[in-house]
Amino acid sequence: MARITIDGIAVEVRDDATILEAARKAGIDIPYFCYHPYLKPAGLCRMCLVEVEGMPKLTPACVTQVRDGMVVRTDTPRVKKAREGIIEFQLLHHPLDCPYCDQAGECMLQDITYRYGRATSRFVDEKELFPTKFYGPFIVYEQSRCILCKRCVRFTHEYMAGTDWNVYFRAAHSLIGTYENKEIADYFTCNLVEICPVGAITSRLYRYKVRYWTLEWARGVCRECGLFCSLDYGIRENKAYRAKHNVNSPGPWICDKGYFGFECMNHPERIKFALERRENKLVNVGLEKVLNGITQALGRYKPEEVAFILPSGLSVEDAAGIRNFMDNFGIKKAEYRVGMEDYLPFGSNVDSLEEISEARNILVLSGDISNSYPVIALTICEAIGKGANVVLLTSWDYYLMKRVNNLFCIKPSCEDGAIYSLFSGKWDEFTGLSREEYERLEAFLQTKPMIVLGPRAQEAVRALIVDYAIKNGLKYIILDRSSSSYVAYTYGLFCKGIDSLLEEVKAGSVKALFVLGVDLFREVPNGKLVRDALGSVDFMVYMGLFFNGTARYADYFLPLTELVEEEAHFVNVFGKLTKSKKSLAREYEERSIREWLKLISEKMGKKLDLEVREFKPKFVLVEGNKKPKDIVLSGSGDFEALFEIPFYRNFRYMEGKSKLLEASPEPVLNVSIYDARSLGLSNGDYVSLDIGGPSFKYKIRVFDELVKGVLVADTGFEGFPVNEALNNRIAKVKIKK
Amino acid sequence: MIGPLIKGLSITIRHLFGPKVTIKYPYEKRKVYPRWRGKHVLKLGEDGRERCCYCGLCEAVCPANAIRIYGKEDPIFEKSDVGKIAEIYEIDYRRCIFCGYCQEACPRDAIVLTTEYELAVDSRSKLLRDKEDLTEKR
Ligand code: SF4
Ligand code: SF4
Ligand code: SF4
Ligand code: SF4
Ligand code: FES
């Protein structure tokens, strides 16, 4: 610990702290632009100059380490003059178009100029102005406003390693951007908006809509993945216009899904009335009639003929409500695992993201972590930046594959086998790993790495890894595709898997379905089964925000609330509880899942208790000595294709998030460089993909890291029913030019 | 008793033949000073485009909370420094106190109080004036 005095106030700080950090602790305001608590100090802007006793020149506080007994002054005339000078230089070419600028009101340049600057400028030269640039669907870059603090560039380098957002040209000609103005939509682009202290990088979603000071801030929670990042939503007149990541929970950064994803709340196509089917159309007949209709219909079925299909991002309250409703009426069947994968066992013995970023060795297995848990992937990248050794064994992980130190890329159908063989200590040549690769992996396993297992892994693999990790004292995070596993599992909201449930519906043993906010056609990679099941279901209630393929089969549509329209608690992957407040008033008939169930239950004469008194998350450990199931590939052809929903479409209520969808406008087929060469394909070509019958048009993206013979194809587009040709995520396919 | 009556009548008779202080409104309009603060107008620039860029200052300064604005990107001019316009611009004359602060705050001389004072309408809702109504007609 070092004791230093700043403006007469004594503080005690860590030995490696900087003067700026000490000043923040002492409550003394030192203006800064380029300093950021989560970035490495850079000392670029010189805004933070202070006087240190014994040093002849002024010194930048953000890069100067404290020394015991140091005496710092920030209130001398020299410092004041220096600050005024720096600001005058900053404003030399600054357009000062605050009336237009979206940053106005939260702009550090405005604040600092107001507090420390001179009222007038002595420069009379004409300002140099540059045109606006749009880098992709999310980001507007206004070069004239850029103060070259390099915060954005440092963020991309320290955290997003491998994104070519950079400074181009030199000195006065410096400009920030991407090479050849390529668009940037790299999962975490929103952080550039957040981190830029001025209005040089602003969000296109928020662009020019409202002024910052008209917004009221409401604390909410993003429900896209199991981290449940806290977000503040900027609200004006009962509508959200903006998200902001003000709180460091669970980590300092967020991903685009959360930042741009609140758009569905305001979407013009959102349905806000309870609807009933009348001759092929869903019509508004009034709430009372809808409730009567539902209760009458439900009365016709036995409890075992009713089932629930649940969404990802379920709150504790909703899960409890569903459980109580099911108990009230003796309903047994519910399923949250709609991805047709093994979701169990899941869980982790890691407590926070920080623990991941501090890890020295990380073994990332299977995928697609960056798609399903983006911020975990970002934290892994942060660890790489801090010098960790990260090894990835997967067939597909768009973001991490380009960024890890060691990549072992295998075929999708071999993934489980390879991981299984690694952890059971027996090399198997059919897994696609060579003996030497296997030995390297095994040697890495001896370094006791943290294990992160992605959602594609099978139950046997999951159980084996949990077993192994516990026996050997390793840290592990076992992820699955649902963001609400803890609550859904704790309340027992699962049966035998979505495929067997849909089979039962098809066979007629389940006659009434409640589908809550899931578009089955998009989520279940077996569209034919979904179509058959929904076609033969007797009675179906769909709850959601938008009309979609699944809602087409519904007899009743009940509108749901979303994000800050209801109060809810969530449990994240680390088993921690987060709370989302209710800040928006409801406009029409939208209600949360539990409130709808309560209405229905009360109509049927049974009270539904919605209060959750306590919640203790629990999770299972399945026996660790099963063998992974063999994956039987359907179709024929020389290529093995993995079908995944791309990042910018993989979220709840996709229909209402048009800004995010712009980043993934058409289906892409990722081809390895070998196959691209032998087929004569290059980026941007169109091919058709033959999946045993129908063929689909795809745009080619050559992806260097993929193995030969493997394709990764997008699904989840409207009017693009790839899922219906599949019966699993992996299939054999042919390419036709 | 008769005294005050005569006094009163004499005043009446004097005013009957003296100069008039009332005017025949609405056939005749009262002249106001050029700095009179009446109904607002949203000015157009020399090029015919709206001057208001939705900086929000008038809205922020208005002591009566009479102004409500939302912005959007100008569909014609996409260059950022001239690219923002108001999508909704409303002044609520039920609330406005004609203080003129909005005019004072406006950095682009877009909102100006004119000398027009005839604001009476036959229903309250008509006192809410939208952008179309407020924009200068050329
Ligand atoms: S960056 Fe800040 S100072 Fe510059 S125009 Fe925008 S609000 Fe004004
Ligand atoms: S764009 Fe913003 S964050 Fe990046 S260097 Fe310029 S001012 Fe700094
Ligand atoms: S004149 Fe005064 S009260 Fe009326 S709109 Fe302007 S600022 Fe508000
Ligand atoms: S102050 Fe002027 S430019 Fe700004 S919003 Fe009001 S009228 Fe428009
Ligand atoms: S904050 Fe210290 S030099 Fe920028």
Side-chain angles (χ1 to χ4, degrees), chain A residues 97-102 129-132 134 140 142 145 204 207-211 213-214 236-237 239 241, chain B residues 51 53-57 59-60 67-74 78-85 107-108:
Chain A
D97 55 347
C98 310
Y100 292 99
C101 182
D102 270 338
L129 299 177
F130 302 91
T132 310
F134 296 101
V140 196
E142 207 76 64
R145 293 187 197 137
R204 285 187 81 171
R207 189 162 167 80
Y208 293 169
K209 285 199 181 126
V210 290
R211 298 302 270 169
W213 52 84
T214 58
R236 183 181 180 193
E237 292 179 353
K239 273 210 160 83
Y241 285 91
Chain B
R51 299 180 77 122
C53 65
Y54 181 31
C55 69
L57 293 186
E59 187 185 27
I67 306 182
R68 174 174 172 267
I69 325 176
Y70 279 89
K72 68 172 178 197
E73 276 177 279
D74 190 328
E78 66 281 344
K79 226 180 127 230
S80 81
D81 49 345
V82 287
K84 181 159 69 166
I85 56 169
R108 294 178 55 87

Side-chain angles (χ1 to χ4, degrees), chain A residues 306-323:
Chain A
V306 185
F308 281 82
I309 296 180
L310 310 178
S312 170
L314 203 61
S315 65
V316 177
E317 288 92 340
D318 280 347
I322 296 169
R323 179 77 261 166

Side-chain angles (χ1 to χ4, degrees), chain A residues 399-418:
Chain A
Y399 192 81
L400 279 181
M401 263 166 117
K402 295 181 178 173
R403 289 169 169 85
V404 292
N405 317 67
N406 279 303
L407 171 67
F408 296 87
C409 194
I410 45 177
K411 289 192 169 185
S413 57
C414 298
E415 230 174 40
D416 291 317

Side-chain angles (χ1 to χ4, degrees), chain A residues 395-396 401 409-414 633-634 636-643 669-679 681 689 702-713 729-735:
Chain A
S395 57
W396 175 245
M401 263 166 117
C409 194
I410 45 177
K411 289 192 169 185
S413 57
C414 298
L633 300 186
S634 63
S636 64
D638 347 321
F639 291 99
E640 191 177 314
L642 173 68
F643 291 85
L669 183 69
N670 297 283
V671 185
S672 72
I673 189 132
Y674 317 101
D675 298 326
R677 276 210 198 111
S678 64
L679 291 169
L681 295 170
L689 197 66
V702 181
F703 200 86
D704 299 355
E705 283 82 359
L706 274 180
V707 254
K708 197 163 176 264
V710 171
L711 305 171
V712 178
R729 271 174 211 284
I730 313 170
K732 287 266 186 207
V733 295
K734 290 193 204 91
I735 286 189

Side-chain angles (χ1 to χ4, degrees), chain B residues 58-123:
Chain B
C58 51
E59 187 185 27
V61 81
C62 177
N65 246 333
I67 306 182
R68 174 174 172 267
I69 325 176
Y70 279 89
K72 68 172 178 197
E73 276 177 279
D74 190 328
I76 320 167
F77 298 82
E78 66 281 344
K79 226 180 127 230
S80 81
D81 49 345
V82 287
K84 181 159 69 166
I85 56 169
E87 186 181 20
I88 297 173
Y89 194 114
E90 284 174 0
I91 296 185
D92 187 347
Y93 284 106
R94 288 168 301 187
R95 313 195 68 156
C96 176
I97 53 169
F98 300 98
C99 61
Y101 281 10
C102 46
Q103 175 172 359
E104 212 173 298
C106 182
R108 294 178 55 87
D109 294 337
I111 188 95
V112 170
L113 276 70
T114 62
T115 50
E116 191 188 330
Y117 54 79
E118 288 172 307
L119 290 163
V121 281
D122 55 12
S123 93

Side-chain angles (χ1 to χ4, degrees), chain A residues 216-237:
Chain A
E216 274 170 41
W217 295 92
R219 175 108 345 139
V221 160
C222 164
R223 303 182 186 181
E224 298 302 340
C225 83
L227 285 172
F228 296 109
C229 301
S230 287
L231 276 175
D232 284 350
Y233 294 100
I235 289 167
R236 183 181 180 193
E237 292 179 353

